[in-house]
Amino acid sequence: MSAQYTQYYGLHSKARTRPTRFYKSFQLASLSAALLVSLPSQAGFPTIYGKINVSAQQYNFEKLNFAQTTPATNPVSYQYSGATSIADELDNTSVESNASRFGIRGDLDLSADLKIIYLVEYGIDVDNGTNANGRELTQRNIYAGLQGQWGTLLIGKNDTPLKTLQTNTVIRGDIDRFNDAALADIGSYLVGENRADNVIQYNSPIFLEGFEFSFAAVQSEETGIAVNANNPQDDSDLASGYSSALTYGKSKWFVGVAIDNNVATTDAVRVLGEVAVGPVKLGAIYQTAEAHKDTDRIGPFSTFVGSSVSSSGAQNGLNPISEWDGASGNAFIEQDGYLLNAAWKVAGPWTAKAQYGSSTSTPANSSYGDVDVTALALGVDYKLSDAARLYSYYAQLETEGDRAIGTVKPKDSTLAVGLDFRF
């Protein structure tokens, strides 16, 4: 048997002098598969991508030990003030899915200078298959748009430029060293981590050897017809809210500034910077924010804790800030905060990380004082490949507020071991 047929039928197959009908079908299928694989990108075939971040977490959360009202009611209610001791809120070991996701993205060439782009991304819960709402998928960034040498214009749902300010495309940095890590992510104590609906966004290309600019117009989609004199809600213009960012980066450092106006009813300014010194990266973020005060607000003020309380007490969502916020009976209206961190590539695949953060939040009820949060996270990564890492970290948040509400400082902490990989 000739070598030509041996490669298709195997060394132990019967000799054949010509291709069979099966062999012709096999040739056709192989040719079709090869054509599908080799088709150019302008055909618009999508790319499937994703990220799995799963960890085992030991939690130890504390809360203010509010006394019950007198007489006791059913269901039990609490006084929300005068706490002089701490009670356990959570003490267990959990498996967590930390912002795991999958998505489809691609582009379609319209001409030599213009293409359509699209992205559809959903969050998945690796630990139990469903999220808190009992659903398998949660919507993340989903948009379509146009791209050329002039930049990118997209429409849909997307992370705001202020949220993505910390990620720079020049040096591929991420200043939040514990992004998506439970209790260590900056969203645990700083506002502004928003993914906005109804976005029209422009992203510039890199210009002037390192600058990038983004602007997102967020629509309130109001009717444009006044509801009443005290609550007009008649904003029908472009960009009821907006988020914009400007960064400048080089191979060893970058800086950036971002502004939110009426995004999740938040007005905020965030500035940051990072510099690499040998094997060490040093980063810092400073932010000031307040509740948007105009009549028309795109809300609620979702990135602050909020004022809702339940019959089980003022603790909401296992967030220590909520105990002071709920107890005061109103939401925070201002916040200043910062973080400082370092990442040290120790040797080979090992990287050590440390991050310290702080925020001061002011409640709307002026009879209560500010709430201060201090955050600490320490961790180590072991790089398996460019797309995968093992990690471990310890994080804690300590909260102190007005002594009329509580004279003690509840502390939440977690110790985690996890695997993070992208595909």
Side-chain angles (χ1 to χ4, degrees):
M1 180 172 61
S2 68
Q4 176 185 1
Y5 297 138
T6 300
Q7 67 174 336
Y8 294 110
Y9 295 107
L11 294 174
H12 301 290
S13 61
K14 295 182 180 179
R16 304 183 188 274
T17 58
R18 62 185 179 184
T20 62
R21 180 178 302 173
F22 171 79
Y23 174 51
K24 290 180 179 179
S25 300
F26 181 81
Q27 279 187 312
L28 181 60
S30 299
L31 179 61
S32 300
L35 285 172
L36 287 173
V37 172
S38 63
L39 278 174
S41 60
Q42 61 263 29
F45 281 97
T47 297
I48 298 176
Y49 71 96
K51 170 183 175 178
I52 301 293
N53 186 336
V54 63
S55 61
Q57 308 264 164
Q58 174 60 46
Y59 289 119
N60 186 359
F61 287 0
E62 298 174 341
K63 65 178 180 179
L64 294 174
N65 191 16
F66 291 115
Q68 295 184 23
T69 57
T70 303
T73 58
N74 190 14
V76 174
S77 62
Y78 292 81
Q79 293 181 355
Y80 313 124
S81 62
T84 59
S85 62
I86 291 172
D88 288 336
E89 187 174 19
L90 177 68
D91 187 1
N92 74 356
T93 300
S94 300
V95 174
E96 299 286 11
S97 178
N98 307 296
S100 298
R101 70 203 70 162
F102 80 94
I104 299 172
R105 61 188 169 199
D107 55 65
L108 174 64
D109 287 342
L110 300 177
S111 67
D113 302 321
L114 185 65
K115 67 174 63 176
I116 291 175
I117 62 165
Y118 57 91
L119 182 144
V120 179
E121 183 176 285
Y122 286 92
I124 55 176
D125 284 278
V126 180
D127 52 340
N128 55 27
T130 58
N131 59 35
N133 295 324
R135 299 174 180 173
E136 288 75 18
L137 303 177
T138 54
Q139 186 177 358
R140 290 176 58 87
N141 296 329
I142 298 182
Y143 58 76
L146 297 173
Q147 187 176 78
Q149 294 183 351
W150 44 267
T152 302
L153 181 66
L154 59 89
I155 300 177
K157 181 184 182 78
N158 199 34
D159 290 336
T160 64
L162 184 138
K163 180 181 179 181
T164 59
L165 178 68
Q166 62 168 307
T167 304
N168 181 272
T169 59
V170 176
I171 63 175
R172 304 294 178 183
D174 194 341
I175 289 186
D176 183 5
R177 309 298 178 195
F178 295 89
N179 190 34
D180 296 333
L183 208 63
D185 186 289
I186 63 174
S188 299
Y189 50 93
L190 287 180
V191 304
E193 301 296 284
N194 294 305
R195 178 175 296 120
D197 298 331
N198 311 314
V199 169
I200 303 173
Q201 181 167 332
Y202 169 75
N203 299 327
S204 77
I206 297 174
F207 62 96
L208 297 179
E209 300 182 348
F211 282 100
E212 291 181 90
F213 174 74
S214 297
F215 179 86
V218 184
Q219 319 313 310
S220 65
E221 298 190 353
E222 294 169 4
T223 63
I225 300 173
V227 177
N228 57 59
N230 296 323
N231 185 27
Q233 297 296 303
D234 60 352
D235 191 342
S236 58
D237 297 329
L238 176 68
S240 303
Y242 66 82
S243 179
S244 60
L246 178 66
T247 63
Y248 182 74
K250 290 297 185 180
S251 61
K252 298 294 184 180
W253 59 273
F254 84 92
V255 294
V257 59
I259 298 173
D260 272 6
N261 181 76
N262 198 14
V263 178
T265 320
T266 309
D267 296 341
V269 178
R270 177 179 291 184
V271 294
L272 54 74
E274 180 185 75
V275 61
V277 182
V280 178
K281 287 184 177 181
L282 303 174
I285 297 176
Y286 172 77
Q287 179 175 283
T288 181
E290 64 180 17
H292 188 74
K293 295 182 175 64
D294 291 345
T295 301
D296 290 285
R297 294 188 292 270
I298 304 175
F301 203 11
S302 59
T303 49
F304 280 7
V305 175
S307 60
S308 63
V309 295
S310 66
S311 59
S312 61
Q315 297 76 34
N316 300 294
L318 302 177
N319 186 319
I321 307 179
S322 66
E323 303 176 47
W324 312 92
D325 190 35
S328 66
N330 59 83
F332 297 126
I333 59 171
E334 294 181 7
Q335 186 189 77
D336 294 321
Y338 68 91
L339 67 85
L340 303 170
N341 60 36
W344 176 28
K345 191 172 182 180
V346 181
W350 295 96
T351 299
K353 302 185 296 185
Q355 184 159 286
Y356 176 83
S358 175
S359 66
T360 298
S361 302
T362 301
N365 189 336
S366 59
S367 63
Y368 291 102
D370 296 341
V371 178
D372 297 319
V373 178
T374 56
L376 175 67
L378 302 171
V380 60
D381 291 353
Y382 182 86
K383 183 178 178 181
L384 298 171
S385 70
D386 288 340
R389 67 184 174 105
L390 295 171
Y391 65 88
S392 179
Y393 75 92
Y394 170 80
Q396 73 173 40
L397 293 178
E398 187 175 70
T399 313
E400 180 179 15
D402 194 287
R403 294 181 64 84
I405 298 173
T407 61
V408 287
K409 303 177 185 179
K411 181 172 67 177
D412 292 351
S413 63
T414 184
L415 179 63
V417 177
L419 170 65
D420 180 14
F421 69 93
R422 303 171 187 267
F423 58 89

